DNA sequence: CGACGATTTGAATAGGATCAATGGGAGTGG
DNA sequence: CCACTCCCATTGATCCTATTCAAATCGTCG
């Protein structure tokens, strides 16, 4: 494992405030592994062996029931996932698979639970992380229950643009298929939604999306800090 | 505040493992308040002053956006809510209102955060509680995204029956209106769903629901421990 | 150039929501 | 005790959103 990776992990809110010793202990038990695209990392229903952290690449959290499937969230570096299952030492409620090739840091659950009991800074950080994730999923739920797919897309465009500096031009990092599941809709519907947004100040060609009339888009999206963060 | 109430709170997982002294400190800062039915307790967007705990009655967590509203969860005694907002000291993402008349224990957020930093047992308990809530909402999300309303109702009936001993007979504690929002559907749709379940081993009259053919109901519901808990 | 996957477009369908009207019980007042 | 009223629940009809299935188009990479 590269020194720069370790430093990156150390700088995460989750690990920043623990003692050097405990951090070293965790890291020496940890594995950094590369996975190709579309690899299943964990399966819902299994017991957690490791806390996972996306160091590079993109991971999709999804869930199945009968023959249906839904994307719950899409995770980019540097973020933990399935922390709640590790903490509770209970089965995963969601599956995870890579979208891109990805590097995943895996820390044995036991080590996490052990250090958690002995390092107050780490315990605090875990609480923050859990609270953050909890609130994240509440936002997802609200987005999906309260908005139509056009509205979700409109808000996603605004949020994405904002996080890229507000230049009014976005280049998709992935397939539209991926985006559509991130937004909780089918690819066909994403196409249609994007077409509809043509009337609301958005132009799209290929993987590029341009905001030509931000006012109009905002009128359509009606973004809210209580959903979009 | 009655001694028996205090003991009940003390016996909650969240408070069971903290020191006596810290518990007393919390309790002396706490208020136990009665609220009539349909009273708004907290509004999304506001900052948390208190951690709330439903001691008696029922509370609905819901959220609005524009002119739409959705129920996120329904809370029964004895359970905390809005813990994540208190921990993060950030605005509520959901509103809460009573359904019944309810008694709510309110503990000042600052006291929670203060004791959290000083009592390891309490910190552990908060982590468990957060993880539990997190997983709870993942289940809600899965239930709503992966199932039709008939399936949701069928599973709710099975789960309810199980939690009442499996006698095959359920009496609703509230109106059907309340149940319908708990299940994320309109009252009209609940009626229709219940009618449809007539073909799958369920009979309903008034507030009573009877499972006459559990096999058939299970075939329709296809319950999963990864959703229904 | 050809082939394959991704995207778009179109038509049909399903699942829910909404609107409107009717039925049914519980509580109230005569 | 009975009629009245009000609210909840049911039923029917219609609308809307999103999914599904099918076909056409686009783009990219050998």
């Amino acid at each position: 494992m590269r020194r720069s990776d370790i430093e990156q992990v150390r700088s995460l809110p989750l690990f920043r405030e623990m003692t050097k010793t405990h951090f070293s202990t965790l890291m020496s038990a940890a594995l950094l592994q590369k996975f190709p695209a579309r690899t299943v990392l964990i399966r819902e229903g299994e017991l957690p062996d490791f806390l996972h952290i996306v160091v590079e690449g993109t991971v999709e959290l999804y869930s199945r029931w009968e023959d249906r499937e839904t994307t719950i969230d899409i995770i980019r570096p540097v973020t933990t996932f399935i922390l709640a299952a590790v903490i509770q030492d209970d089965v995963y409620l969601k599956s995870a698979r890579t979208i891109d090739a990805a590097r995943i840091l895996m820390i044995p659950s036991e080590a996490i639970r052990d250090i958690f009991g002995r390092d107050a800074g780490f315990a605090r950080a875990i609480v923050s992380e859990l609270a953050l994730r909890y609130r994240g999923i509440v936002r997802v739920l609200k987005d999906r229950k309260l908005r139509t797919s056009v509205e979700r897309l409109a808000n996603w465009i605004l949020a994405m643009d904002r996080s890229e500096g507000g230049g009014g031009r976005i280049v998709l990092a992935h397939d539209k298929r991926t985006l559509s599941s991130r937004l909780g809709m089918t690819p066909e519907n994403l196409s249609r939604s994007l077409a509809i947004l043509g009337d609301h100040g958005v132009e799209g060609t290929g993987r590029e999306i341009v905001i030509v009339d931000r006012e109009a888009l905002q009128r359509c999206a009606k973004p809210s800090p209580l959903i979009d963060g």
Side-chain angles (χ1 to χ4, degrees), chain A residues 14 62 77 102 229:
Chain A
L14 190 58
Y62 65 101

Side-chain angles (χ1 to χ4, degrees), chain A residues 81-152:
Chain A
F81 59 97
I82 55 149
L83 178 57
V86 168
I87 290 299
Q88 292 237 312
D89 196 17
D90 202 349
V91 296
Y92 301 131
L93 295 179
K94 354 185 243 275
S95 305
R97 67 187 158 216
T98 58
I99 290 176
D100 299 312
R103 288 195 306 144
I104 310 285
L105 179 66
M106 297 160 66
I107 307 176
S109 319
E110 270 186 37
I112 296 282
R113 286 194 295 270
D114 177 43
I115 305 279
F116 169 78
R118 295 193 280 119
D119 189 309
F122 187 48
R124 259 196 311 280
I126 287 208
V127 167
S128 282
E129 180 81 7
L130 274 174
L132 208 63
R133 298 257 154 279
Y134 177 82
R135 289 162 66 83
I137 208 168
V138 170
R139 290 176 201 274
V140 170
L141 185 59
K142 288 170 66 173
D143 193 42
R144 299 222 179 143
K145 286 290 289 183
L146 292 169
R147 288 174 170 161
T148 65
S149 51
V150 175
E151 288 163 345
R152 285 204 295 282

